[in-house]
Amino acid sequence: MKKATTWLSVLTVFAMVATGCSNGGDAGGKTESASGGAGKGKKTEFLFWTPFSGADGPFMKEIVDKYNASQDSYKINFVIQPNGEYYKQLDVALSTGKERPDLMIMHLDQIPTYVSKGQLQEMDTLAGAAGINKTDYVEAAVNYATIEDKLYGIPLDIHPLVMYYNKDLLEAAGITSPPTNREEFDAAVEKVTNRDKGVYGYVVPTLWPQQFIFPTLVWQNGGELWNGTDVAYNSPEAVEMIQWLRGMVDKGVSPGNVQQDGENTLFLQGKNAIQFNGPWMKSQFDEAGLNYGVAPVPQIGKAKQAVFGGSHNFAIPKDVKDEGIIAGIGDFLKYVSSNSLEWAESGQALAAKPMIESAEFKALPQSAIADSFSYVQFAPNVLNWPTISEPIWGELNNALLGKKDAQKAMDDAAAKSKQAIGK
């Protein structure tokens, strides 16, 4: 994924948002006099990096600000790094120790690579000391972040692919509920489509967010991206799903030659009835005043229900040794586990079960997203998977634009991926 904040077509880029950011030394942690009355000693400070440089940044800042105000022992210095440069900057900080964060957000599928480089520390000890129970989080994310029986990430959220639908367009077509399977989906998008008015049932994206759509369809159809030893996305199951997507263009349900974000532009204009995208789109649709609904992605494939997802996790660099800072991080993560509704309001579905099960979260429109957590799947747990899988997206674009046969495109993608892994 790769990153939710990059996927928004309109971004508010923050170079840095800090609540008293420390610039002294390689760890970022220090102490300062506590404010607000006598007898309050000193606060232990620690530096927290995130890549939330889009519309989601202020929501995390609000959580941090409330935590800082809630107690007198710790102060988080909150920094938002530009999302597109996040891992480059993180690599420099971790390798040189200069301005290294004490706590950082890391995408779940990055954790195996950073563990292999020896740059993350296990979090079981911290969790135990802070009273954080792994069973209080969505199992799929915890299991992925557990390597050789050690936990390296505590999940903040799960962001699976979801279905957004225009309520007005579906209602006008006589459709009373969102589709849940392929038969219902195919019927609904054909019924809604009115090419004379420029209205389409489902506009097929040829680029992003296929990184979420394509794996979802492959898994639903009984295929795999990785078979345990090699890439597997040129299988009959995968090719069939590409043909299904292209078939909507051939039938006129979708326009052809859709450029980046074209499906979203038409959705915002009320000319695209359904789109598959991520939870991070919520604020954009709210601001546009759309009458929209959110539901799990229908089971399009013939094998099982499945959905591709990502997850933001809290992680700690290996070199963080200060016991006071580690205790502060644990205190903050314990706080977040039951005080992160602001993050849900950004559109994300939370990973902490106490929050998912709360009445406040269930009252949110996107609470239905959590219904898919029992069958969510993440990127293959393979080192350097983003590099290995990169050829998929260019070749998939060729197939969806009709420039290549689907099988040929995926065979070419697989060949390029094999070169990347030296096979």
Side-chain angles (χ1 to χ4, degrees):
M1 70 192 108
K2 221 22 209 155
K3 302 145 189 88
T5 47
T6 301
W7 303 327
L8 294 174
S9 58
V10 179
L11 295 176
T12 303
V13 179
F14 290 80
M16 177 179 290
V17 176
T19 58
C21 175
S22 167
N23 290 315
D26 61 16
K30 64 177 184 179
T31 59
E32 67 164 16
S33 296
S35 59
K40 285 191 176 182
K42 294 183 180 295
K43 290 186 178 183
T44 297
E45 295 188 34
F46 57 92
L47 184 61
F48 175 31
W49 276 25
T50 82
F52 302 137
S53 57
D56 46 6
F59 293 95
M60 179 53 66
K61 185 178 186 299
E62 186 175 357
I63 293 174
V64 172
D65 288 347
K66 285 184 175 180
Y67 172 75
N68 282 338
S70 72
Q71 43 71 47
D72 296 314
S73 298
Y74 307 105
K75 178 185 177 183
I76 299 174
N77 296 320
F78 179 54
V79 173
I80 297 177
Q81 300 289 3
N83 184 58
E85 300 294 317
Y86 184 69
Y87 286 101
K88 291 180 182 178
Q89 295 196 25
L90 190 59
D91 287 342
V92 171
L94 294 181
S95 62
T96 65
K98 185 177 181 180
E99 297 298 327
R100 168 187 51 73
D102 302 298
L103 175 67
M104 56 198 176
I105 289 292
M106 182 161 283
H107 292 83
L108 184 62
D109 59 357
Q110 292 281 0
I111 288 177
T113 298
Y114 279 82
V115 170
S116 74
K117 294 190 292 187
Q119 292 181 322
L120 299 185
Q121 65 175 270
E122 58 86 13
M123 301 184 73
D124 296 278
T125 303
L126 174 149
I132 297 171
N133 194 330
K134 291 188 291 186
T135 60
D136 285 339
Y137 296 87
V138 175
E139 290 82 356
V142 171
N143 292 342
Y144 193 105
T146 300
I147 300 172
E148 295 182 355
D149 296 324
K150 295 180 179 179
L151 179 67
Y152 288 93
I154 292 180
L156 167 65
D157 59 43
I158 309 290
H159 40 267
L161 186 72
V162 299
M163 178 172 66
Y164 294 100
Y165 57 96
N166 184 305
K167 291 183 178 180
D168 295 334
L169 290 178
L170 264 62
E171 182 179 343
I175 302 168
T176 58
S177 60
T180 61
N181 55 47
R182 181 169 175 174
E183 181 180 7
E184 292 175 358
F185 183 89
D186 287 345
V189 296
E190 289 202 39
K191 205 168 185 180
V192 170
T193 299
N194 186 330
R195 289 184 293 279
D196 292 337
K197 295 183 178 180
V199 174
Y200 297 93
Y202 177 80
V203 178
V204 177
T206 63
L207 296 165
W208 177 261
Q210 283 295 344
Q211 286 83 346
F212 273 58
I213 297 171
F214 177 68
T216 295
L217 296 177
V218 172
W219 289 329
Q220 286 189 357
N221 211 33
E224 295 291 344
L225 303 180
W226 179 263
N227 62 16
T229 58
D230 202 355
V231 295
Y233 34 75
N234 58 339
S235 66
E237 293 84 0
V239 169
E240 180 186 352
M241 290 292 89
I242 298 173
Q243 293 169 337
W244 174 76
L245 287 168
R246 177 62 196 181
M248 283 188 280
V249 176
D250 295 337
K251 290 187 294 186
V253 168
S254 168
N257 303 317
V258 176
Q259 300 302 307
Q260 180 69 61
D261 298 321
E263 78 291 341
N264 190 54
T265 298
L266 290 174
F267 191 79
L268 289 168
Q269 294 173 349
K271 295 182 178 181
N272 177 19
I274 295 175
Q275 73 157 308
F276 300 153
N277 215 312
W280 51 86
M281 301 301 292
K282 176 182 180 294
S283 61
Q284 188 176 151
F285 299 155
D286 289 344
E287 291 172 8
L290 292 178
N291 183 20
Y292 72 96
V294 185
V297 175
Q299 183 181 327
I300 304 298
K302 58 189 177 186
K304 63 179 181 179
Q305 180 59 293
V307 67
F308 181 90
S311 172
H312 293 111
N313 280 239
F314 295 102
I316 304 175
K318 185 71 173 285
D319 293 335
V320 177
K321 303 295 184 183
D322 187 289
E323 292 183 1
I325 289 175
I326 291 175
I329 292 171
D331 188 68
F332 173 61
L333 298 186
K334 179 67 174 178
Y335 173 89
V336 171
S337 70
S338 56
N339 293 275
S340 50
L341 192 64
E342 289 86 357
W343 191 243
E345 290 172 350
S346 76
Q348 298 284 357
L350 304 172
K353 292 179 181 177
M355 294 303 305
I356 297 173
E357 295 165 358
S358 69
E360 293 83 357
F361 178 77
K362 290 180 178 179
L364 297 174
Q366 70 271 27
S367 63
I369 296 171
D371 294 343
S372 65
F373 285 1
S374 62
Y375 52 80
V376 67
Q377 294 183 232
F378 302 108
N381 200 328
V382 177
L383 295 182
N384 300 314
W385 178 251
T387 300
I388 293 171
S389 60
E390 182 61 31
I392 296 175
W393 317 118
E395 293 298 342
L396 179 60
N397 177 260
N398 286 332
L400 294 175
L401 290 175
K403 295 179 179 180
K404 277 189 181 181
D405 170 78
Q407 184 67 64
K408 170 64 174 170
M410 286 300 99
D411 285 343
D412 289 348
K416 292 174 183 177
S417 293
K418 290 174 186 290
Q419 289 179 347
I421 57 180
K423 289 194 173 186

